[in-house]
Amino acid sequence: MLKDKIVLVTGASSGIGEATALALSAEGARVAAGARRADRLAALAGKAPGEVLALDLDVTDQDSVRAAVAAAVDRFGGLDVLVNNAGVMLNGPIAGADTAEWTRMVETNLLGSMYAVHAALPHLLERKGTVLQVSSTSGRIASAGSGVYAATKFGINAFSESLRQEVTAQGVRVVLVEPGFVSTELTTHITDPAIREFARNMAASMRTLQPEDIANAVVYALGQPDHVAVNEILVRPTDQTQ
Protein backbone atom coordinates (compact mmCIF):
# COMPACT_ATOMS: atom_id res chain seq x y z
CA MET A 1 0.00 0.00 0.00
CA LEU A 2 2.95 2.36 0.56
CA LYS A 3 5.01 1.58 -2.52
CA ASP A 4 5.82 4.78 -4.43
CA LYS A 5 3.90 6.94 -1.94
CA ILE A 6 5.65 10.28 -1.46
CA VAL A 7 6.21 11.08 2.21
CA LEU A 8 7.72 14.07 3.98
CA VAL A 9 8.99 13.33 7.51
CA THR A 10 9.95 16.21 9.79
CA GLY A 11 12.44 15.79 12.62
CA ALA A 12 13.99 12.92 10.69
CA SER A 13 17.56 13.17 11.95
CA SER A 14 17.08 10.95 15.02
CA GLY A 15 14.67 8.94 17.12
CA ILE A 16 11.13 8.36 15.90
CA GLY A 17 11.61 10.48 12.79
CA GLU A 18 14.68 8.58 11.64
CA ALA A 19 13.11 5.19 12.37
CA THR A 20 9.92 6.21 10.54
CA ALA A 21 11.81 7.41 7.47
CA LEU A 22 13.73 4.14 7.33
CA ALA A 23 10.61 2.02 7.84
CA LEU A 24 8.68 3.85 5.12
CA SER A 25 11.63 3.58 2.74
CA ALA A 26 11.69 -0.17 3.41
CA GLU A 27 8.00 -0.28 2.42
CA GLY A 28 8.83 1.28 -0.94
CA ALA A 29 7.83 4.87 -0.19
CA ARG A 30 9.77 7.77 -1.64
CA VAL A 31 10.88 9.72 1.40
CA ALA A 32 11.79 13.36 1.88
CA ALA A 33 13.51 13.63 5.26
CA GLY A 34 13.68 17.07 6.86
CA ALA A 35 15.71 18.27 9.84
CA ARG A 36 18.35 20.81 10.84
CA ARG A 37 21.27 18.38 11.24
CA ALA A 38 22.51 17.79 7.70
CA ASP A 39 25.15 15.22 8.74
CA ARG A 40 22.52 13.03 10.39
CA LEU A 41 20.31 13.23 7.30
CA ALA A 42 23.21 12.22 5.07
CA ALA A 43 23.77 9.17 7.27
CA LEU A 44 20.04 8.36 7.11
CA ALA A 45 20.05 8.58 3.31
CA GLY A 46 23.01 6.21 3.25
CA LYS A 47 21.20 3.63 5.41
CA ALA A 48 17.82 3.76 3.70
CA PRO A 49 16.94 0.96 1.26
CA GLY A 50 15.32 3.42 -1.14
CA GLU A 51 15.91 6.97 -2.30
CA VAL A 52 15.77 9.57 0.47
CA LEU A 53 15.80 13.28 -0.27
CA ALA A 54 17.58 15.08 2.58
CA LEU A 55 16.09 18.52 3.28
CA ASP A 56 17.41 21.31 5.47
CA LEU A 57 14.29 22.05 7.52
CA ASP A 58 13.62 24.28 10.52
CA VAL A 59 9.93 23.88 11.32
CA THR A 60 9.88 27.12 13.33
CA ASP A 61 10.65 29.06 10.13
CA GLN A 62 7.67 29.23 7.75
CA ASP A 63 9.89 29.96 4.75
CA SER A 64 11.99 26.88 5.52
CA VAL A 65 8.85 24.75 5.82
CA ARG A 66 7.42 26.00 2.52
CA ALA A 67 10.77 25.45 0.80
CA ALA A 68 11.00 21.88 2.09
CA VAL A 69 7.50 21.00 0.89
CA ALA A 70 8.23 22.60 -2.49
CA ALA A 71 11.51 20.68 -2.81
CA ALA A 72 9.79 17.35 -2.04
CA VAL A 73 7.05 18.04 -4.58
CA ASP A 74 9.60 19.16 -7.16
CA ARG A 75 11.74 16.04 -6.74
CA PHE A 76 8.99 13.43 -6.55
CA GLY A 77 6.08 15.08 -8.37
CA GLY A 78 3.63 15.46 -5.49
CA LEU A 79 3.03 14.67 -1.84
CA ASP A 80 0.92 11.86 -0.37
CA VAL A 81 1.82 11.94 3.32
CA LEU A 82 3.11 14.44 5.85
CA VAL A 83 4.56 12.91 9.01
CA ASN A 84 4.79 15.75 11.55
CA ASN A 85 7.35 14.49 14.03
CA ALA A 86 9.72 17.37 14.86
CA GLY A 87 9.64 18.24 18.54
CA VAL A 88 11.55 19.17 21.68
CA MET A 89 10.84 18.34 25.32
CA LEU A 90 12.30 20.87 27.78
CA ASN A 91 10.43 19.87 30.92
CA GLY A 92 10.72 21.64 34.24
CA PRO A 93 8.67 23.35 36.94
CA ILE A 94 6.60 26.37 35.96
CA ALA A 95 7.91 28.46 38.87
CA GLY A 96 11.28 29.93 37.96
CA ALA A 97 11.21 28.53 34.43
CA ASP A 98 13.30 29.93 31.60
CA THR A 99 10.41 31.08 29.44
CA ALA A 100 12.65 31.01 26.35
CA GLU A 101 12.31 27.22 26.61
CA TRP A 102 8.52 27.60 26.59
CA THR A 103 8.76 29.64 23.41
CA ARG A 104 11.01 27.05 21.80
CA MET A 105 8.58 24.22 22.61
CA VAL A 106 5.53 26.11 21.38
CA GLU A 107 7.28 27.21 18.18
CA THR A 108 8.72 23.76 17.42
CA ASN A 109 6.08 21.32 18.62
CA LEU A 110 2.87 23.22 17.97
CA LEU A 111 3.40 26.06 15.53
CA GLY A 112 5.96 24.01 13.58
CA SER A 113 3.47 21.21 13.00
CA MET A 114 0.80 23.76 12.05
CA TYR A 115 3.13 25.43 9.55
CA ALA A 116 3.92 22.06 7.97
CA VAL A 117 0.23 21.18 7.64
CA HIS A 118 -0.52 24.58 6.11
CA ALA A 119 2.25 24.22 3.52
CA ALA A 120 1.53 20.58 2.67
CA LEU A 121 -2.27 20.62 2.68
CA PRO A 122 -2.89 21.83 -0.89
CA HIS A 123 -0.81 18.93 -2.20
CA LEU A 124 -2.44 16.42 0.16
CA LEU A 125 -5.92 17.58 -0.89
CA GLU A 126 -4.94 17.14 -4.52
CA ARG A 127 -3.82 13.54 -3.97
CA LYS A 128 -6.25 12.61 -1.15
CA GLY A 129 -3.30 12.07 1.14
CA THR A 130 -2.69 11.76 4.87
CA VAL A 131 -1.49 13.96 7.70
CA LEU A 132 0.12 11.93 10.48
CA GLN A 133 0.79 13.83 13.69
CA VAL A 134 3.20 12.46 16.27
CA SER A 135 1.79 13.62 19.59
CA SER A 136 2.29 12.01 23.02
CA THR A 137 0.57 10.54 26.04
CA SER A 138 1.26 14.05 27.36
CA GLY A 139 -1.42 15.20 24.94
CA ARG A 140 -3.92 13.29 27.08
CA ILE A 141 -2.54 13.50 30.63
CA ALA A 142 -0.57 16.47 31.95
CA SER A 143 1.76 15.97 34.89
CA ALA A 144 3.86 18.16 37.17
CA GLY A 145 6.99 19.36 35.45
CA SER A 146 5.63 18.95 31.93
CA GLY A 147 3.05 21.73 31.76
CA VAL A 148 4.22 23.51 28.62
CA TYR A 149 5.25 20.36 26.78
CA ALA A 150 1.84 18.87 27.55
CA ALA A 151 0.15 22.09 26.44
CA THR A 152 1.85 21.80 23.03
CA LYS A 153 0.75 18.19 22.69
CA PHE A 154 -2.81 18.92 23.81
CA GLY A 155 -2.71 21.63 21.15
CA ILE A 156 -1.59 19.19 18.48
CA ASN A 157 -4.45 16.86 19.42
CA ALA A 158 -7.01 19.68 19.21
CA PHE A 159 -5.64 21.02 15.93
CA SER A 160 -5.64 17.51 14.46
CA GLU A 161 -9.29 16.88 15.31
CA SER A 162 -10.32 20.21 13.83
CA LEU A 163 -8.30 19.44 10.71
CA ARG A 164 -9.87 15.99 10.46
CA GLN A 165 -13.36 17.46 10.51
CA GLU A 166 -12.41 19.96 7.79
CA VAL A 167 -10.73 17.60 5.32
CA THR A 168 -12.04 14.06 5.83
CA ALA A 169 -14.95 14.58 3.41
CA GLN A 170 -12.35 15.58 0.81
CA GLY A 171 -10.53 12.27 1.18
CA VAL A 172 -7.65 13.40 3.38
CA ARG A 173 -7.04 11.23 6.42
CA VAL A 174 -5.70 12.61 9.71
CA VAL A 175 -3.86 10.23 12.02
CA LEU A 176 -2.73 10.96 15.59
CA VAL A 177 -0.01 8.72 17.05
CA GLU A 178 0.54 9.17 20.80
CA PRO A 179 3.67 7.45 22.11
CA GLY A 180 4.37 6.86 25.76
CA PHE A 181 7.96 6.71 27.04
CA VAL A 182 10.26 6.13 24.06
CA SER A 183 14.03 5.74 24.24
CA THR A 184 15.12 8.81 22.23
CA GLU A 185 17.28 11.91 22.60
CA LEU A 186 14.35 14.00 23.87
CA THR A 187 15.12 13.60 27.56
CA THR A 188 18.75 14.64 27.04
CA HIS A 189 17.56 18.12 26.01
CA ILE A 190 16.06 18.78 29.47
CA THR A 191 18.08 21.50 31.23
CA ASP A 192 16.54 21.14 34.72
CA PRO A 193 18.84 18.67 36.57
CA ALA A 194 16.12 17.24 38.83
CA ILE A 195 13.70 16.64 35.95
CA ARG A 196 16.47 15.17 33.80
CA GLU A 197 17.38 12.74 36.59
CA PHE A 198 13.70 11.87 37.07
CA ALA A 199 13.41 11.06 33.35
CA ARG A 200 16.56 8.94 33.52
CA ASN A 201 15.23 6.98 36.48
CA MET A 202 11.84 6.55 34.82
CA ALA A 203 13.50 5.10 31.73
CA ALA A 204 15.54 2.71 33.86
CA SER A 205 12.42 1.51 35.67
CA MET A 206 10.69 0.07 32.59
CA ARG A 207 11.09 -1.62 29.24
CA THR A 208 10.86 1.56 27.20
CA LEU A 209 9.51 1.72 23.69
CA GLN A 210 12.03 1.93 20.86
CA PRO A 211 11.67 4.36 17.95
CA GLU A 212 11.04 1.39 15.68
CA ASP A 213 7.94 0.50 17.73
CA ILE A 214 6.39 3.84 16.82
CA ALA A 215 7.56 3.54 13.22
CA ASN A 216 5.67 0.24 13.03
CA ALA A 217 2.49 2.00 14.21
CA VAL A 218 2.99 4.67 11.54
CA VAL A 219 3.43 2.05 8.82
CA TYR A 220 0.28 0.27 10.00
CA ALA A 221 -1.84 3.42 9.97
CA LEU A 222 -0.57 4.62 6.59
CA GLY A 223 -0.92 1.18 5.03
CA GLN A 224 -4.68 0.94 5.43
CA PRO A 225 -6.93 1.11 2.35
CA ASP A 226 -8.29 4.52 1.44
CA HIS A 227 -11.69 3.97 3.02
CA VAL A 228 -10.14 3.17 6.43
CA ALA A 229 -8.97 6.05 8.63
CA VAL A 230 -7.01 5.05 11.71
CA ASN A 231 -7.49 8.37 13.47
CA GLU A 232 -5.72 7.67 16.74
CA ILE A 233 -3.13 5.22 18.04
CA LEU A 234 -2.02 5.33 21.70
CA VAL A 235 1.15 3.28 22.30
CA ARG A 236 2.60 2.91 25.79
CA PRO A 237 5.27 0.61 27.20
CA THR A 238 3.55 -2.26 28.98
CA ASP A 239 5.32 -1.13 32.17
CA GLN A 240 4.14 2.50 31.99
CA THR A 241 1.33 3.28 34.42
CA GLN A 242 0.40 6.84 33.31
Side-chain angles (χ1 to χ4, degrees), residues 182-206:
V182 183
S183 179
T184 71
E185 292 180 2
L186 275 186
T187 57
T188 67
H189 301 157
I190 297 170
T191 57
D192 183 278
I195 299 292
R196 191 168 59 244
E197 182 64 19
F198 175 80
R200 187 179 296 117
N201 292 337
M202 185 176 175
S205 73
M206 70 176 77

Side-chain angles (χ1 to χ4, degrees), residues 22 40-49 52:
L22 290 171
R40 295 282 193 93
L41 292 180
L44 166 64
K47 288 188 289 187
V52 170

Side-chain angles (χ1 to χ4, degrees), residues 104-219:
R104 186 179 168 200
M105 281 190 282
V106 170
E107 288 183 343
T108 304
N109 301 358
L110 184 53
L111 281 173
S113 68
M114 291 176 173
Y115 294 155
V117 167
H118 187 262
L121 197 54
H123 305 286
L124 299 175
L125 285 165
E126 181 182 336
R127 296 170 72 101
K128 298 187 186 302
T130 303
V131 174
L132 190 141
Q133 308 271 66
V134 178
S135 181
S136 170
T137 52
S138 292
R140 288 171 166 244
I141 303 169
S143 57
S146 68
V148 179
Y149 179 74
T152 66
K153 295 300 185 176
F154 269 77
I156 287 170
N157 290 15
F159 181 80
S160 300
E161 175 57 19
S162 179
L163 176 67
R164 185 194 68 79
Q165 292 183 26
E166 290 184 20
V167 300
T168 190
Q170 298 170 73
V172 173
R173 298 182 294 183
V174 178
V175 180
L176 193 65
V177 176
E178 300 157 299
F181 205 107
V182 183
S183 179
T184 71
E185 292 180 2
L186 275 186
T187 57
T188 67
H189 301 157
I190 297 170
T191 57
D192 183 278
I195 299 292
R196 191 168 59 244
E197 182 64 19
F198 175 80
R200 187 179 296 117
N201 292 337
M202 185 176 175
S205 73
M206 70 176 77
R207 296 165 294 172
T208 57
L209 298 173
Q210 298 303 307
E212 292 76 16
D213 297 322
I214 306 306
N216 289 340
V218 171
V219 168

Side-chain angles (χ1 to χ4, degrees), residues 4-9 30-34 51-55 57 64-82 116-127 129:
D4 294 327
K5 293 291 186 183
I6 302 160
V7 185
L8 171 60
V9 181
R30 292 180 285 175
V31 177
E51 180 186 4
V52 170
L53 172 64
L55 296 171
L57 172 60
S64 176
V65 172
R66 293 188 193 106
V69 170
V73 171
D74 184 60
R75 166 67 72 89
F76 295 123
L79 188 64
D80 296 297
V81 179
L82 168 66
V117 167
H118 187 262
L121 197 54
H123 305 286
L124 299 175
L125 285 165
E126 181 182 336
R127 296 170 72 101

